[in-house]
């Protein structure tokens, strides 16, 4: 059973930084897309950043130059470094893993989609 557990969310002032982490267990797919998306209640899900098994990355235009996605395969951890945060970055952030998925616009697309429970990020002005 694949499990994803996010951590690192919190409250920060605009211009500050946060680092999100996602611990992934029991994931044995060699080809995949992993990433982060965010969602505010009542609004559509928004892809933030994604990374493929070949190391390629994709970012939403709204976070390019501010956010960096990375993975540590030895530790089975996916991270998202968020710098120069803005109030509009406030959202629940979810980690996702998609076997044989592909990247586009900071999102992972594919048939099977694993996700964590989310971690809240709040940016105050």
């Amino acid at each position: 059973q694949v499990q994803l557990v996010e951590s690192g969310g919190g409250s920060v002032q605009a211009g500050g930084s946060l680092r999100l982490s996602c611990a992934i267990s029991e994931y044995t797919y060699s080809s995949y897309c992993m990433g982060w998306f965010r969602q505010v209640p009542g609004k559509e899900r928004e892809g933030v950043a994604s990374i493929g098994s070949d190391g390629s990355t994709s970012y939403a235009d709204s976070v390019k130059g501010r956010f960096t996605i990375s993975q540590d395969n030895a530790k089975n951890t996916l991270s998202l470094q968020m710098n120069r945060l803005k109030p509009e970055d406030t959202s629940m952030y979810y980690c996702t893993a998609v076997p044989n998925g592909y990247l586009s616009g900071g999102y992972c697309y594919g048939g099977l989609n694993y996700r964590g429970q989310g971690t809240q990020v709040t940016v105050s002005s």
Side-chain angles (χ1 to χ4, degrees):
Q1 182 76 20
V2 177
Q3 291 187 332
L4 293 80
V5 180
E6 301 95 337
S7 62
S11 297
V12 65
Q13 288 192 329
S17 299
L18 283 173
R19 186 177 181 87
L20 306 183
S21 293
C22 177
I24 304 170
S25 62
E26 305 299 327
Y27 195 84
T28 60
Y29 299 95
S30 59
S31 176
Y32 56 79
C33 175
M34 292 186 182
W36 297 87
F37 68 89
R38 60 192 183 189
Q39 190 166 23
V40 175
K43 295 190 176 181
E44 288 191 2
R45 180 180 301 183
E46 178 187 13
V48 175
S50 52
I51 187 167
S53 49
D54 61 355
S56 59
T57 58
S58 173
Y59 294 91
D61 288 342
S62 59
V63 307
K64 281 180 181 177
R66 300 189 297 122
F67 291 11
T68 303
I69 189 171
S70 60
Q71 59 182 357
D72 184 334
N73 291 331
K75 297 181 180 179
N76 290 335
T77 301
L78 184 71
S79 299
L80 183 69
Q81 178 66 43
M82 305 185 294
N83 298 328
R84 291 184 281 131
L85 283 160
K86 303 176 181 180
E88 50 263 44
D89 294 319
T90 295
S91 186
M92 184 72 81
Y93 284 72
Y94 297 88
C95 172
T96 182
V98 180
N100 302 311
Y102 65 94
L103 297 70
S104 180
Y107 199 67
C108 287
Y109 293 89
L112 182 60
N113 191 318
Y114 298 100
R115 53 174 277 186
Q117 294 299 308
T119 185
Q120 178 68 37
V121 172
T122 302
V123 185
S124 58
S125 58

